[in-house]
Amino acid sequence: MAASPHSPNSTFRRLRGQHSPAEFAALVRRAAKEIGETVSCDARYIGRVESGEIRCPNYAYERVFLHMFPGRALADLGFSPRESVRGRSAQRDPLSVPCPPSSAKESDVLRRAFMAGGSATVAAATLGLTLLGDTRRLPTRAGETEAAAVEDAVRQIRLLDDRHGADALYRRAAEPLRTAYALLDAGATRQSTEDRLHSGAGELAVSVGWLAHDSGRFDDARSHYAEALATARVARDAGLEAHAFSNMAFLARDCGRSREAVRAAQAGGRAARSLGSPRLLSLLALREAGGWAGLADRKACEEALSRAHTEFSRGESDADPEWMSFFGQAELESLEARCWSALGEHARAARHARRAADLQDPHFARNVALYTAELAGDLARAGAPDEAAWAGCRVLDLLTEVQSTRVRSMLSETAAALIPHQRSPRVAAFLSAR
């Protein structure tokens, strides 16, 4: 029987079997890669399907699910017919919103352009020009379709960044951001739509800010994060405010403004306190720990790390924001590694960085490259040049797929640290390969 908005999808739950939601989400992502799809499936998405909140998946997920369960139709997986969920209740979830026929076709064409474009630059261009339409022909008042398009733009940017890094995306991704704020300025047909536009535009500003951040454009990143924070304050959106402060703390740490990193992380923690997400509080505590490490305050750093581990151990929650799908054990290990590295304990940092690289899902190619680059740097400073060179060569292999100024900068620092050891064949091979 197909699921309704008020009844769980027990069929899909049975198909999950003994796998945990997180394990099954990993299987979904693996199946997507087998057929050339890209989906950001996580435990929360699986929970929304099984609760009946997502009555019918979008076209990408449909193809993945039918690939996983050959010979079955959507109805056999517990989903409702696409045409039956075109109403208002379905539109609360843009991942399951079926657009009118012309829009659905355009969305599918867009998705294929992302996958077949051959480069992140082409994909990002398609994102800006198609997904949110022509800025010269914006509607007089924004509706649910426009709000869903803004939300989808955020997801697509994050997916592309996870796979390819930020360098080729940033300039083109600014176009949908301008469109989102133009839609916000035009006003919406109803208050609920305007609330969605505020949240979507703010999340888009954070995402574009991150692309600037990761590609070394720190001033641009600071501007975008400030724009997101202002949007959050106007809309009284605590979740968006916490997200903006989290990224501002991260940027401040990378810019060497450690005290600002501490204050931004603490402000994010205050905003997040009422949201009921231990994982979000854990991430913000890690951001704070990074600031304290930059100030060489070991005691305060360890206290923040302890809070981060305590909150993380409470597990996932329905209140975890969608954007936090990247934050698992691997990211926690990576952020802790950076703290120990800043405190000069490079061997200890290398142990955490190695765990991060080993634990990271290959789907997040950019993060695998980042964690391995961190490992290379820590090993070089810990007196293990051959191991550092091995890790550095692995990053160079990953950089054929990932474009990240930040990762390349980290490799340059590692190379500089390895120059005294260039008589080692492995070190020499790494230095020449760069």
Side-chain angles (χ1 to χ4, degrees):
M1 179 180 294
S4 77
H6 306 291
S7 64
N9 186 336
S10 55
T11 301
F12 197 90
R13 173 63 189 89
R14 285 195 299 272
L15 291 170
R16 173 159 67 86
Q18 298 301 310
H19 295 291
S20 71
E23 291 170 339
F24 192 76
L27 293 177
V28 172
R29 296 194 300 271
R30 190 174 304 129
K33 292 180 69 174
E34 291 172 359
I35 60 173
E37 287 287 358
T38 303
V39 296
S40 57
C41 189
D42 55 17
R44 189 179 182 199
Y45 179 86
I46 298 302
R48 294 170 71 195
V49 170
E50 294 178 0
S51 71
E53 181 182 350
I54 295 178
R55 299 168 58 200
C56 185
N58 69 7
Y59 290 97
Y61 275 100
E62 176 182 349
R63 278 181 283 271
V64 175
F65 291 150
L66 296 184
H67 171 68
M68 293 177 70
F69 303 103
R72 306 195 191 203
L74 281 181
D76 299 324
L77 306 182
F79 292 111
S80 299
R82 194 170 298 281
E83 61 274 11
S84 73
V85 291
R86 295 185 186 274
R88 179 178 177 184
S89 61
Q91 293 191 357
R92 288 202 298 260
D93 176 22
L95 285 177
S96 63
V97 175
C99 303
S102 60
S103 297
K105 181 177 180 181
E106 178 181 281
S107 177
D108 193 44
V109 169
L110 172 65
R111 183 200 60 78
R112 293 187 178 279
F114 271 111
M115 298 307 303
S119 74
T121 302
V122 172
T126 306
L127 177 90
L129 298 177
T130 306
L131 188 59
L132 291 182
D134 188 339
T135 56
R136 295 168 298 182
R137 293 181 293 171
L138 291 175
T140 304
R141 305 280 280 180
E144 295 292 305
T145 300
E146 287 74 30
V150 172
E151 293 163 344
D152 201 31
V154 176
R155 293 188 179 94
Q156 295 288 11
I157 286 175
R158 289 173 184 161
L159 285 170
L160 288 167
D161 176 48
D162 288 338
R163 297 297 300 276
H164 302 290
D167 287 9
L169 291 171
Y170 172 60
R171 294 297 182 192
R172 292 293 187 177
E175 179 62 29
L177 179 61
R178 286 191 291 270
T179 304
Y181 276 94
L183 288 168
L184 195 56
D185 190 57
T189 54
R190 61 183 69 179
Q191 185 61 47
S192 60
T193 303
E194 187 161 325
D195 292 342
R196 284 180 65 186
L197 279 173
H198 267 101
S199 295
E203 289 293 344
L204 197 52
V206 173
S207 294
V208 176
W210 165 248
L211 296 179
H213 183 171
D214 194 45
S215 56
R217 301 172 173 93
F218 289 168
D219 288 343
D220 288 355
R222 190 177 182 87
S223 175
H224 289 306
Y225 292 158
E227 185 173 38
L229 181 59
T231 304
R233 293 280 176 79
V234 168
R236 297 182 180 180
D237 186 331
L240 176 58
E241 183 174 343
H243 192 184
F245 273 128
S246 173
N247 280 47
M248 292 171 82
F250 192 3
L251 177 64
R253 193 214 65 170
D254 281 355
C255 291
R257 297 192 296 266
S258 299
R259 195 165 300 281
E260 179 183 325
V262 170
R263 289 172 176 169
Q266 291 173 338
R270 289 191 292 272
R273 203 168 291 153
S274 64
L275 299 177
S277 171
R279 288 291 168 93
L280 178 54
L281 292 173
S282 175
L283 176 60
L284 289 161
L286 285 162
R287 299 284 191 231
E288 182 183 341
W292 288 123
L295 292 169
D297 190 331
R298 182 189 180 99
K299 181 178 179 182
C301 177
E302 289 182 335
E303 191 277 331
L305 285 174
S306 177
R307 280 190 283 115
H309 281 279
T310 298
E311 294 294 350
F312 189 88
S313 69
R314 301 186 195 280
E316 297 179 340
S317 163
D318 289 342
D320 294 341
E322 182 181 339
W323 59 267
M324 285 192 68
S325 59
F326 76 96
F327 183 62
Q329 186 69 42
E331 181 72 6
L332 183 147
E333 295 286 352
S334 170
L335 293 177
E336 181 163 356
R338 292 175 212 175
C339 291
W340 295 120
S341 183
L343 290 169
E345 296 194 26
H346 298 295
R348 188 171 185 176
R351 290 196 293 273
H352 287 282
R354 192 187 301 277
R355 286 181 206 145
D358 289 344
L359 288 168
Q360 182 58 61
D361 188 322
H363 169 77
F364 296 95
R366 193 273 320 285
N367 279 2
V368 174
L370 173 64
Y371 300 159
T372 310
E374 290 173 349
L375 173 62
D378 288 325
L379 288 169
R381 294 168 183 81
D386 282 352
E387 287 187 76
W390 171 85
C393 286
R394 186 181 176 206
V395 177
L396 289 174
D397 290 339
L398 291 166
L399 288 178
T400 60
E401 179 183 354
V402 174
Q403 300 179 48
S404 170
T405 296
R406 187 158 63 113
V407 172
R408 289 193 177 277
S409 176
M410 293 167 69
L411 274 189
S412 295
E413 293 174 4
T414 298
L418 289 177
I419 287 176
H421 308 279
Q422 57 189 316
R423 290 186 178 181
S424 161
R426 183 170 287 181
V427 172
F430 166 63
L431 293 175
S432 64
R434 290 185 62 256

